[in-house]
Amino acid sequence: MREARTPGGAELLRALVPSADSQEVARRQQLLGEVHGARTEGIQAWPLDGVHDLRPWLDRSRVTGSHLEPLELRRVAQTLAACTAMRRFLDTHAARLPLLHARTKPLVAHTGLASAIEHAVLENGEIADHASPELARIRRRLVTQRQAVLRTLEAHLARGKPDAETYVTMRGERYVIPVRADAAAARGIVHDRSATGATLFVEPLDVVEGNNELQGLRDGEGREVLRILQDLTHRLAAESDAVERSLEAVEFVDAQHAAACAAATMRAASPRLGTTLQLRAARHPLLESRLAAQGRAVVPLDLALGEARALVITGPNTGGKTVALKTVGLLALMHQAGLQVPLHADSELPVFARIVADIGDEQSIEAAESTFSSHLRHVRGAIEAAGPGLLALLDEFMAGTDPEEGAAMAKVVLRRLVQRGATTLVTTHLGALKLFAHAEPGVGNASMVFDATSGTPLFRLQPGVPGSSNALATAERLGFDPDLVAAARAERGDSAARIEAVLQSLEAERLAFETARAAAETEAAEARRVREEAATQLAELAHLRATHQAQARRDVAKILDDARARIEATIRSLREAQASREAIRSAKDELDAVAASVQAIEAGPVPIPEGEPRPGDLVWIRPLGREGRMEEMQGDDRARVRYGFAVVTVPLRDLELRVRGVETPPEPTRGGYQVQDTTEKAAVEIDLRGFDRPEAISAMDQFLDRAVLQGLPSVRIVHGKGTGVLRRTIQEYLTSHPSVASHRLGDHGEGGSGVTIAKLH
């Protein structure tokens, strides 16, 4: 209710009643889920401000001759404006909020009435001059007449009588001036005198008529204001039924919005509607809120009846048994009231026609009712109402009497409730009832987990295994006399000790099973992960294989086109050189053979090598988007790769095998330059830093020849800045080289004066 922004919305939430109709519960949950989902997806600005409860004012407006006060009408206008804004909001988001849109069809815009009120009544409650032509006329005359009266009175004050006061005031809505009582009597009407009697407040005779006229104008103004208020009130009465329906619709939207806000705060969800009680990560909202204020977290409740109809919950005192019952009962009521509940969405809740709860001690001295009697009264009610639609929550079942007789009663009552199909949860410390639940069809055991090592409850429900009450351990934890605890253990009967030993053995087996199951689940999850990764890698490999095949065919087609162009160019060169017919035929035959071999490659399948790359292989360096040759391994998972004149160390996972090599390439020479086989793609850059003049010229010769053979348009020579000697040597060499068309120093971003760019013919 704290999230509600209208009085009516808060009242609707207070009046929520659980429904026993499963279809109605489903409708409520679906509607709230729609609003919650819309808020989660970003629809946050809901126009709910400025809404007042108009019902008392609507009732008054229906009384003939009545009128609302100006500020009341302003509140009406604010509410009508909010209704109009909400209508537009719902129409705008009708596709996302279809259920809420359909539910609020009675909500209409009241723009005409709201505009009329806002036009006539100012925010401070004053009636505006332009509320009516007559009011505007009267007020203009009032101003004129007031000024005339004030001028006359100020003239009296200005005549300079030494015994006259120097201001104009009012008495009884008439303008007067103060006159000293011991002065000469002034001609006029005395309206008042000061507390001391020394001053008289006199209305001079020459302003009597003016004051009379002012009074008449004021009366006319009041009548016109009253008429305007009555007219606006009458218009409100004419629309009062529609306004009330619109107000109810806005309050309904507010209630749904507030419930959605609360659901978001509680991290709540709508469980499935079903026939079995199955809660996952359920939390008591009030307990969770209280613990959160203390900086603590609530332990979620996991509870599933499965095939059973009844569950016997055992375990230590202060271990959370009663909280478990309260959580189930409260969440069932919240769910059937149409609220989302704090649990995991993968939960299931039936719709109960009746819930019987016997929690706590209701003994009464006046009614001569003991603890056991109060329990029996509730149990009798559960038996009388027993059926598939009953949820019975019985705390300390059959406690407060002889244990043997209480256990006997508990067994027959549980059997009756199960036979009639009721859903039953009971808590108990009766050992016989634990054994009964283990053997009886339709009844299951569960216990609140107790940490025997630390001697503290863990507040977690463990299904399938009964729990020990751990009364002696609890006494020890609370500082009870150790001698008394030891004596109590000695006083326990053999049967109790045997039951305790069995329970402890079962608990140990359960813990071992839980450990084994957790390990198995971890291994299964790891296996699933490995399978998924393998499947993903296989899919990626298939995609890469197809991509590489396509790229290889495109590369072959380009090689073929280049070869054909070179054939034609060679033939033309031979003819232009006037070579012999035999030389031309021989050259053409040789080039035809090259073309035929390329066509054979194009026609046949392009092999894609498999396996990990190894030294000598041509590889693709994924992070650089470049092709290079693997030189050597660096450890188990990294490799040294050369691309162009650079050498990098790359993780194996970032290398993709392109072509298997036949041998490891030779080590690079000083400066990073290496003359490579001309079947490889030419490099576009050479690094000559550290070379002397003869070495630089020799390396340049080989580099430029290779670039020209490969048809590169330009190359990049790195010489560094240094003293400038190497730069001048390179540029002199480039100036005279027949394959160099021009050269220049690098621009900003290209290496500047440490790099020379050479354009080739």
Side-chain angles (χ1 to χ4, degrees):
M1 291 183 290
R2 290 195 301 267
E3 289 82 0
R5 289 154 63 179
T6 68
E11 187 58 36
L12 284 175
L13 292 174
R14 279 191 289 267
L16 276 179
V17 175
S19 172
D21 184 346
S22 59
Q23 293 184 346
E24 174 62 19
V25 173
R27 281 193 295 269
R28 293 180 181 184
Q29 289 293 333
Q30 191 174 6
L31 177 59
L32 182 56
E34 177 183 278
V35 175
H36 190 183
R39 290 187 71 257
T40 303
E41 294 171 9
I43 303 178
Q44 298 290 340
W46 294 62
L48 289 165
D49 294 327
V51 178
H52 304 272
D53 185 3
L54 303 184
R55 292 174 183 81
W57 301 333
L58 292 176
D59 291 340
R60 281 172 50 197
S61 73
R62 297 183 181 108
V63 178
T64 304
S66 65
H67 71 276
L68 300 183
E69 296 302 321
L71 286 177
E72 294 173 337
L73 287 169
R74 283 294 303 191
R75 303 295 181 269
V76 170
Q78 289 175 0
T79 304
L80 297 181
C83 291
T84 301
M86 180 58 73
R87 179 71 277 162
R88 292 171 181 163
F89 171 84
L90 293 173
D91 291 341
T92 299
H93 299 290
R96 183 60 188 84
L97 298 165
L99 298 177
L100 189 63
H101 187 269
R103 178 65 176 76
T104 54
K105 285 183 177 179
L107 174 60
V108 298
H110 300 273
T111 53
L113 179 56
S115 297
I117 294 174
E118 291 171 350
H119 174 78
V121 184
L122 302 177
E123 290 186 6
N124 60 3
E126 296 289 336
I127 303 300
D129 294 348
H130 53 254
S132 73
E134 177 62 15
L135 183 61
R137 184 191 66 79
I138 292 174
R139 286 183 173 173
R140 284 195 300 272
R141 287 186 57 196
L142 267 170
V143 171
T144 302
Q145 183 61 27
R146 185 180 299 108
Q147 291 174 346
V149 170
L150 291 176
R151 282 197 299 270
T152 302
L153 291 174
E154 287 169 355
H156 277 277
L157 295 174
R159 279 198 278 269
K161 295 182 179 180
D163 55 350
E165 298 287 347
T166 58
Y167 61 93
V168 176
T169 185
M170 294 190 73
R171 288 296 185 272
E173 295 190 351
R174 301 181 74 85
Y175 285 103
V176 296
I177 57 176
V179 177
R180 293 184 55 158
D182 57 356
R187 297 192 59 184
I189 302 171
V190 177
H191 285 273
D192 197 6
R193 66 180 62 239
S194 66
T196 62
T199 301
L200 304 177
F201 295 94
V202 177
E203 178 185 9
L205 296 179
D206 53 355
V207 297
V208 170
E209 287 300 322
N211 269 332
N212 288 342
E213 186 172 351
L214 273 176
Q215 187 61 41
L217 290 171
R218 292 193 192 97
D219 292 343
E221 178 189 29
R223 287 191 296 273
E224 181 61 15
V225 167
L226 179 61
R227 186 196 66 77
I228 293 170
L229 295 177
Q230 288 176 331
D231 178 63
L232 293 173
T233 303
H234 178 71
R235 290 184 60 178
L236 175 61
E239 295 185 33
S240 60
D241 291 341
V243 168
E244 190 163 7
R245 289 192 295 270
S246 293
L247 178 62
E248 290 172 351
V250 171
E251 291 170 342
F252 178 80
V253 173
D254 180 40
Q256 295 298 313
H257 179 264
C261 292
T265 301
M266 293 186 296
R267 306 187 314 281
S270 295
R272 297 188 307 274
L273 286 176
T275 58
T276 303
L277 184 64
Q278 180 178 329
L279 304 182
R280 286 188 56 200
R283 308 176 312 278
H284 193 295
L286 299 180
L287 177 61
E288 184 172 37
S289 176
R290 184 161 61 248
L291 291 179
Q294 302 171 6
R296 299 161 58 196
V298 69
V299 178
L301 172 67
D302 291 328
L303 186 151
L305 287 183
E307 298 298 325
R309 300 300 303 177
L311 192 66
V312 175
I313 303 174
T314 54
N317 293 305
T318 69
K321 300 187 301 297
T322 302
V323 171
L325 295 190
K326 290 182 177 180
T327 301
V328 173
L330 178 59
L331 267 55
L333 292 172
M334 290 176 63
H335 174 243
Q336 292 180 215
L339 299 174
Q340 292 189 330
V341 290
L343 45 60
H344 193 282
D346 188 21
S347 299
E348 183 176 322
L349 268 175
V351 173
F352 299 105
R354 184 174 178 184
I355 298 177
V356 175
D358 176 28
I359 300 175
D361 187 357
E362 296 185 7
Q363 64 177 326
S364 170
I365 296 177
E366 294 180 358
E369 188 176 56
S370 67
T371 297
F372 183 66
S373 299
S374 68
H375 285 316
L376 282 182
R377 180 164 46 85
H378 291 290
V379 171
R380 186 183 64 187
I383 295 172
E384 293 171 352
L390 173 69
L391 172 63
L393 305 172
L394 307 174
D395 192 26
E396 298 295 344
F397 190 37
M398 293 298 174
T401 188
D402 178 78
E404 291 187 5
E405 293 185 357
M409 284 290 295
K411 292 176 185 179
V412 297
V413 170
L414 270 181
R415 190 175 287 122
R416 173 68 64 83
L417 292 175
V418 169
Q419 289 171 349
R420 293 187 177 180
T423 299
T424 307
L425 303 179
V426 304
T427 69
T428 185
H429 290 284
L430 298 174
L433 200 55
K434 303 174 189 179
L435 299 177
F436 170 79
H438 182 71
E440 180 72 14
V443 184
N445 260 313
S447 62
M448 304 305 297
V449 180
F450 185 83
D451 187 350
T453 302
S454 63
T456 57
L458 301 181
F459 308 106
R460 189 173 72 249
L461 185 68
Q462 174 61 46
V465 179
S468 171
S469 297
N470 289 288
L472 299 181
T474 302
E476 284 183 321
R477 178 169 57 87
L478 295 178
F480 217 72
D481 188 339
D483 293 337
L484 292 179
V485 174
R489 283 198 174 96
E491 287 291 333
R492 284 191 308 175
D494 291 341
S495 60
R498 286 195 300 271
I499 292 175
E500 186 70 19
V502 169
L503 292 179
Q504 290 177 357
S505 175
L506 287 174
E507 178 66 10
E509 291 179 5
R510 182 193 64 78
L511 291 175
F513 170 75
E514 285 294 321
T515 302
R517 185 177 67 175
E521 290 177 350
T522 301
E523 292 178 0
E526 179 64 18
R528 286 194 299 272
R529 186 189 65 80
V530 171
R531 287 198 302 270
E532 291 170 358
E533 286 184 356
T536 302
Q537 290 174 357
L538 286 174
E540 290 177 353
L541 181 59
H543 175 72
L544 288 173
R545 183 182 295 275
T547 302
H548 292 163
Q549 290 279 6
Q551 182 62 45
R553 295 188 182 281
R554 287 195 293 271
D555 292 343
V556 169
K558 185 176 184 305
I559 292 171
L560 180 59
D561 291 341
D562 291 344
R564 286 169 177 162
R566 290 180 182 180
I567 290 171
E568 297 299 328
T570 302
I571 293 173
R572 283 195 300 272
S573 298
L574 291 171
R575 286 175 178 168
E576 290 172 359
Q578 298 182 349
S580 65
R581 187 181 301 275
E582 290 76 11
I584 293 174
R585 184 180 297 110
S586 175
K588 187 176 185 303
D589 291 343
E590 184 178 350
L591 292 174
D592 284 343
V594 173
S597 65
V598 173
Q599 286 175 333
I601 294 173
E602 182 187 33
V606 180
I608 300 297
E610 297 182 354
E612 293 290 334
R614 56 177 179 249
D617 292 343
L618 196 64
V619 295
W620 182 257
I621 309 170
R622 293 192 188 98
L624 300 179
R626 297 283 299 272
E627 195 172 69
R629 189 171 294 279
M630 182 172 166
E631 292 190 341
E632 64 179 359
M633 291 293 296
Q634 298 282 339
D636 295 334
D637 59 351
R638 300 178 73 82
R640 189 168 179 263
V641 180
R642 173 176 298 282
Y643 69 96
F645 299 102
V647 177
V648 293
T649 300
V650 186
L652 282 178
R653 64 175 180 275
D654 291 337
L655 296 179
E656 177 185 316
L657 178 60
R658 285 294 179 87
V659 178
R660 280 292 183 199
V662 295
E663 61 181 6
T664 303
E667 290 295 323
T669 60
R670 180 159 50 104
Y673 175 72
Q674 174 189 340
V675 179
Q676 300 177 3
D677 189 344
T678 56
T679 59
E680 291 184 16
K681 184 177 179 181
V684 297
E685 177 182 297
I686 183 171
D687 187 352
L688 299 178
R689 287 175 293 184
F691 282 60
D692 58 19
R693 179 182 177 86
E695 290 175 337
I697 292 175
S698 174
M700 284 284 294
D701 246 338
Q702 298 178 56
F703 173 68
L704 290 175
D705 288 345
R706 182 180 176 83
V708 170
L709 286 173
Q710 295 296 325
L712 297 179
S714 64
V715 293
R716 186 170 183 266
I717 302 104
V718 180
H719 45 66
K721 298 177 182 178
T723 62
V725 174
L726 184 58
R727 181 181 70 243
R728 289 192 296 272
T729 297
I730 291 170
Q731 292 180 344
E732 289 171 2
Y733 174 82
L734 293 176
T735 301
S736 60
H737 198 287
S739 298
V740 177
S742 63
H743 60 85
R744 62 175 174 80
L745 290 176
D747 292 331
H748 179 71
E750 294 180 326
S753 61
V755 171
T756 294
I757 308 297
K759 183 177 180 182
L760 306 180
H761 287 295

